[in-house]
Structure formats: structure tokens, C-alpha cells
């Protein structure tokens, strides 16, 4: 069964460093998303991406964040200068219609 | 501002009995609702969904009921099995039915424990 994959599973970085989280969505899906879950809190929407551009973003997704689909398969989330409060699980999701399928997540720890 | 609320943080049920997980929402623009199951250190797994044009959707042991007037939905699991033990998230979308533009608004989750 096709699934969304994410790498790395765990990323540790120093505050102020740039990180790139990678996702491979399900191959025939057209819509791509990033969510995050801070420990003990809700899963929160960050950004959605369709037809090679951002279709919607939340207030969390500020200028420090960017997304890219550099080739036909990968979908990346870049955080330009990480802050302590960026520590969270980051989930990628993809969909054809309304059902979004999630990857296993990347745990980002900012020290 | 909790647009999607799951007021029970936990639920314990005996194996073989029915599990009922509840979810309330406040935004009348939501038109698609989903339930996800999540194990620790894994991503949410899609379980079942319902459009606002329906009031019930069934898939095997899982049934979702939607009461639009009360802005309430519930997930029924019958019969419950120990492998169902996980955190269950309710999510809502204002995306157009048949399209997928809508981001998902999640509830805080209910931890279900099914005891053998």
C-alpha cells in the first residue's frame, strides 16, 4: 500500500541553524501539506501546496519557513533560522481529495 | 480558539463492547469531517470520513455519525479490540467537497484504552 515517507525521523539542531525536512508524498496525489505537533498539544496546520505553489498557510508559517517541490517526488519544508519553540513533530501529508494521508513525522529538536 | 473540541481526554472500554468517541465543532463552514488514529511516535492514520451532506458513514467496525444541527459528530467502534487502543483525533475541513484545498483543524484527541 502506498504511503507518505519522511526523512530524517529525528533531527537535532542548534538554535539559529537552518534545517530541511523531507517528504515523499504518495505518487498520484496532487495536494501536499505540512503540519506540526508540539509535545502535548494539538496537530496544527502549517501550509498546503498545490500546482507548485502555496495554496494556504497559517499564521505559524512566517518568513522563516518555506516549502519546495524540487522534483517530481520530493516535498520539503525549510526552516531558515530555527528557534527553541520550533521543537516539535513535523508531519507531511498528501491527498487527492479530502482524505489526507500522513507520514510518520520528523521529530525536530532545537537546542 | 478551539474550533474542534474533543472534551474527553481518555476513554476506557472492555474488549468486545462499543467505544463511542465524541467531537464538537463551532464553525458552521466546516463541511468535511475525518477521524484519525495515532500511535505514539507515528503519524496520524486516516480511519473514516463524512461529508456534511450525510449523517452516517460506515466502514467495517467503524461508523461515524454527524449531527449538523448540534455541530456534533461521533465515532463508534464495534466491537472494540485491544489493538484499537490509541489516540483518536477528530478533524474538520472547510474545503470544498471533492476538492482538497482545505487544511484540517484537529481536536486535542481522546486516548482510547481497550482492555482484554
Amino acid at each position: 500500500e502506498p504511503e507518505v515517507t519522511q526523512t530524517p525521523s529525528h533531527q537535532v539542531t542548534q538554535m539559529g541553524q537552518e534545517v530541511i525536512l523531507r517528504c515523499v508524498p504518495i505518487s498520484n496525489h496532487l495536494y501536499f501539506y505540512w503540519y506540526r505537533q508540539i509535545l502535548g498539544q494539538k496537530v496544527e496546520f502549517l501550509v498546503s501546496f498545490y500546482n507548485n505553489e502555496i495554496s494556504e498557510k497559517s499564521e505559524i508559517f512566517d518568513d522563516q519557513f518555506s516549502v519546495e517541490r524540487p522534483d517530481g517526488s520530493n516535498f520539503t519544508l525549510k526552516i531558515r533560522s530555527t528557534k527553541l519553540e520550533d521543537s516539535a513533530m513535523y508531519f507531511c501529508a498528501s491527498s487527492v481529495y479530502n482524505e489526507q494521508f500522513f507520514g510518520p513525522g520528523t521529530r525536530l529538536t532545537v537546542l | 480558539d478551539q474550533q474542534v473540541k474533543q472534551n474527553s481526554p481518555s476513554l476506557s472500554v472492555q474488549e468486545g463492547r462499543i467505544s463511542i468517541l465524541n467531537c464538537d465543532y463551532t464553525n458552521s463552514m466546516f463541511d468535511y469531517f475525518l477521524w484519525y488514529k495515532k500511535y505514539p511516535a507515528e503519524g496520524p492514520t486516516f480511519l473514516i470520513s463524512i461529508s456534511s451532506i450525510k449523517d452516517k458513514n460506515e466502514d467495517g467496525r467503524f461508523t461515524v455519525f454527524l449531527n449538523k444541527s448540534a455541530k456534533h459528530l461521533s465515532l463508534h467502534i464495534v466491537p472494540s479490540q485491544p489493538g484499537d487502543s490509541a489516540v483518536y483525533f477528530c478533524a474538520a475541513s472547510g474545503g470544498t467537497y471533492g476538492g482538497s484545498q482545505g487544511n484540517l483543524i484537529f481536536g486535542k484527541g481522546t486516548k482510547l484504552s481497550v482492555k482484554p
Side-chain angles (χ1 to χ4, degrees):
Chain A
E1 187 173 325
E3 58 184 20
V4 177
T5 59
Q6 290 185 244
T7 54
S9 55
H10 191 187
Q11 173 89 50
V12 181
T13 189
Q14 295 290 326
M15 190 170 58
Q17 295 295 303
E18 174 183 287
V19 294
I20 297 176
L21 310 182
R22 291 183 165 80
C23 168
V24 179
I26 296 172
S27 62
N28 64 328
H29 286 190
L30 303 174
Y31 299 86
F32 314 112
Y33 312 83
W34 284 100
Y35 291 80
R36 79 172 185 190
Q37 185 180 28
I38 294 171
L39 187 64
Q41 297 187 24
K42 287 200 269 190
V43 177
E44 300 174 289
F45 168 76
L46 293 177
V47 66
S48 59
F49 192 86
Y50 170 71
N51 202 26
N52 283 318
E53 60 183 27
I54 290 173
S55 49
E56 193 174 359
K57 61 183 180 179
S58 72
E59 58 194 24
I60 302 168
F61 194 88
D62 61 22
D63 292 344
Q64 293 299 312
F65 291 88
S66 62
V67 289
E68 198 176 40
R69 189 155 162 80
D71 53 42
S73 58
N74 289 285
F75 179 51
T76 63
L77 174 70
K78 183 194 288 187
I79 308 175
R80 228 176 307 277
S81 177
T82 49
K83 302 188 272 279
L84 294 176
E85 54 265 38
D86 293 328
S87 294
M89 282 291 290
Y90 287 81
F91 296 107
C92 173
S94 68
S95 69
V96 176
Y97 297 115
N98 283 290
E99 289 79 14
Q100 295 180 23
F101 293 87
F102 284 75
T106 292
R107 177 171 298 284
L108 177 64
T109 302
V110 182
L111 302 175
Chain B
D1 175 30
Q2 287 190 71
Q3 296 189 69
V4 177
K5 300 177 192 177
Q6 293 177 257
N7 291 319
S8 298
S10 63
L11 175 68
S12 184
V13 169
Q14 206 66 33
E15 181 179 6
R17 308 295 286 266
I18 184 171
S19 296
I20 300 177
L21 298 125
N22 293 303
C23 178
D24 297 293
Y25 62 96
T26 57
N27 190 339
S28 57
M29 296 301 291
F30 289 147
D31 61 2
Y32 207 81
F33 304 89
L34 307 91
W35 284 94
Y36 286 84
K37 174 180 176 180
K38 187 178 181 302
Y39 294 114
E42 293 186 12
T45 301
F46 170 72
L47 272 178
I48 192 168
S49 60
I50 188 166
S51 158
S52 60
I53 61 173
K54 295 185 173 182
D55 55 18
K56 178 182 174 181
N57 188 26
E58 193 171 350
D59 183 3
R61 296 186 297 114
F62 302 92
T63 303
V64 56
F65 295 92
L66 175 62
N67 182 335
K68 278 184 66 179
S69 60
K71 295 192 178 71
H72 176 83
L73 63 154
S74 60
L75 174 69
H76 292 209
I77 306 173
V78 184
S80 302
Q81 300 172 353
D84 296 329
S85 297
V87 179
Y88 288 77
F89 291 96
C90 168
S93 169
T96 306
Y97 177 67
S100 190
Q101 305 90 322
N103 72 78
L104 296 179
I105 309 295
F106 281 84
K108 287 188 173 180
T110 297
K111 183 175 182 179
L112 174 66
S113 300
V114 180
K115 301 194 181 309

